[in-house]
Amino acid sequence: MVMVSADLQRLEHTVKPDGSVSFLVVGDWGRRGLYNQSSVAYQMGNVGEKLKVDFIVSTGDNFYDSGLIDEDDPAFYDSFTNVYTAASLQKQWYSVLGNHDYRGNALAQLSPVLTQRDNKWLCMRSFILNAGNVQLLFVDTTPFQDKYFHETDQEYDWRGVLPREEYLATLLNDVDVALKESSAKWKIVVGHHTIFSAGVHGNTEELVDKLLPILQENEVNLYINGHDHCLQHISSSNSELQFITSGAGSKAWRGDINPWNLDEMKFYYDGQGFLAAEITENEVYLAFYDIYGNILHKWSTSGNTHSAS
């Protein structure tokens, strides 16, 4: 893993000898193994071994209910190190912050002290990960939501974010420039919050207004998020962009689904699970798994044609 200086920090991850890359995606997980977090972790270990995954992506809300208190918070071990124990999961984790993480000491999760304690941990606000012909661009989505700045019953750790307007303008520009400069065949953007979702939280209008046009203009293939505690796949009616939710790492919200256009809604599951991705030079293959190791939904694309089951 080599770090290169840029507006957004750029990381390089080595791919397999054939140029392919495989990874798992889990979100909204940190509950000390409860609410089936340990069961999700167990199946992640099995699938990770089968796919020989190169790394793991976390879509945020890493520690409930209010992030970490500081770098010494035992929740780091109780919800991360001591839960994801399978050999196949001792790969690099690339994580973003969710809104619950901002309710605690957000800087603690970004601290290199945690990486020293568990070298698979890496969390940053926004950054670029290049892996062969795949580019993953991680975006800090929590500061986009107006409501977090107006809530009176919650406090958020906005150190490093204020002044907000300047932070968001710089971030959006950095994302746009990075995508325009990218030569990757497959472009994936990862954030905590939904853009489109039939779940409890629904659409994030601030991201629909500000981030989505940049993704569409730059022909991004996948937007992967958490936030809604479900597994979900929504397609675009006007672009190749697919909206993928993997926020079912522990506590799920049974029965909470809103009506959606069935031409766009390819899959929705209101239980726990995770996403697996395999990407070759010419194809993206996605599979959603439940806590029993069953494949609930599969989808693949060659860029020109899609198939789902």
Side-chain angles (χ1 to χ4, degrees):
M1 189 174 65
V2 181
M3 296 189 182
V4 182
S5 62
D7 291 328
L8 289 177
Q9 192 163 5
R10 294 173 184 263
L11 308 178
E12 302 284 336
H13 198 109
T14 304
V15 298
K16 295 178 174 65
D18 64 1
S20 67
V21 62
S22 58
F23 57 92
L24 305 179
V25 183
V26 65
D28 304 78
W29 41 267
R31 296 185 188 270
R32 295 176 170 82
L34 301 176
Y35 296 97
N36 283 334
Q37 185 193 359
S38 294
S39 298
V40 174
Y42 177 78
Q43 294 300 344
M44 286 174 64
N46 290 342
V47 174
E49 182 178 357
K50 186 176 98 177
L51 300 184
K52 296 181 171 56
V53 294
D54 299 288
F55 54 86
I56 293 92
V57 169
S58 169
T59 58
D61 276 4
N62 306 315
F63 301 98
Y64 284 96
D65 273 332
S66 300
L68 296 179
I69 297 170
D70 53 31
E71 292 96 330
D72 298 315
D73 192 330
F76 179 70
Y77 290 109
D78 295 342
S79 291
F80 180 63
T81 301
N82 295 341
V83 175
Y84 301 102
T85 55
S88 67
L89 303 183
Q90 307 313 303
K91 303 291 176 66
Q92 186 67 62
W93 284 57
Y94 297 103
S95 306
V96 290
L97 296 171
N99 52 297
H100 282 269
D101 300 312
Y102 267 103
R103 291 181 183 179
N105 183 335
L107 299 187
Q109 291 194 46
L110 308 177
S111 171
V113 171
L114 294 188
T115 304
Q116 292 166 12
R117 295 198 175 135
D118 189 332
N119 61 13
K120 66 179 180 285
W121 177 259
L122 180 68
C123 182
M124 291 188 282
R125 294 189 202 272
S126 300
F127 60 100
I128 297 166
L129 176 63
N130 291 312
N133 65 349
V134 181
Q135 182 179 79
L136 294 96
L137 204 163
F138 293 74
V139 178
D140 183 21
T141 59
T142 302
F144 282 90
Q145 283 231 272
D146 295 334
K147 69 176 185 178
Y148 300 136
F149 292 84
H150 302 134
E151 287 181 0
T152 56
D153 59 338
Q154 295 289 347
E155 292 187 8
Y156 293 83
D157 182 3
W158 297 126
R159 289 175 295 172
V161 171
L162 304 177
R164 179 190 177 207
E165 291 72 19
E166 182 180 320
Y167 178 84
L168 294 179
T170 300
L171 176 54
L172 288 167
N173 181 69
D174 287 347
V175 169
D176 189 36
V177 169
L179 290 171
K180 280 181 167 53
E181 291 179 346
S182 176
S183 59
K185 177 176 175 61
W186 304 108
K187 299 177 187 177
I188 301 171
V189 173
V190 178
H192 175 65
H193 290 79
T194 62
I195 290 181
F196 294 126
S197 173
V200 173
H201 292 301
N203 301 348
T204 304
E205 294 304 332
E206 296 92 340
L207 296 182
V208 173
D209 292 342
K210 296 181 173 68
L211 183 62
L212 179 58
I214 295 173
L215 306 191
Q216 292 173 327
E217 181 183 337
N218 291 287
E219 299 181 336
V220 169
N221 302 97
L222 305 175
Y223 177 75
I224 302 178
N225 59 270
H227 198 45
D228 266 336
H229 295 189
C230 63
L231 302 174
Q232 181 177 215
H233 174 197
I234 295 175
S235 67
S236 294
S237 57
N238 58 352
S239 74
E240 293 295 311
L241 181 56
Q242 309 291 311
F243 301 94
I244 307 295
T245 298
S246 183
S250 60
K251 189 176 184 179
W253 296 329
R254 284 285 187 196
D256 281 316
I257 178 170
N258 297 305
W260 202 273
N261 180 346
L262 293 180
D263 290 335
E264 296 179 351
M265 177 62 70
K266 303 303 180 185
F267 167 70
Y268 189 97
Y269 178 64
D270 59 357
Q272 293 103 342
F274 60 96
L275 172 72
E278 299 174 85
I279 305 178
T280 66
E281 182 180 349
N282 297 311
E283 187 174 44
V284 172
Y285 175 82
L286 304 180
F288 291 89
Y289 288 83
D290 67 12
I291 60 171
Y292 306 106
N294 300 314
I295 296 178
L296 302 173
H297 173 68
K298 293 186 291 186
W299 179 85
S300 62
T301 182
S302 59
N304 300 314
T305 58
H306 306 321
S307 67
S309 61

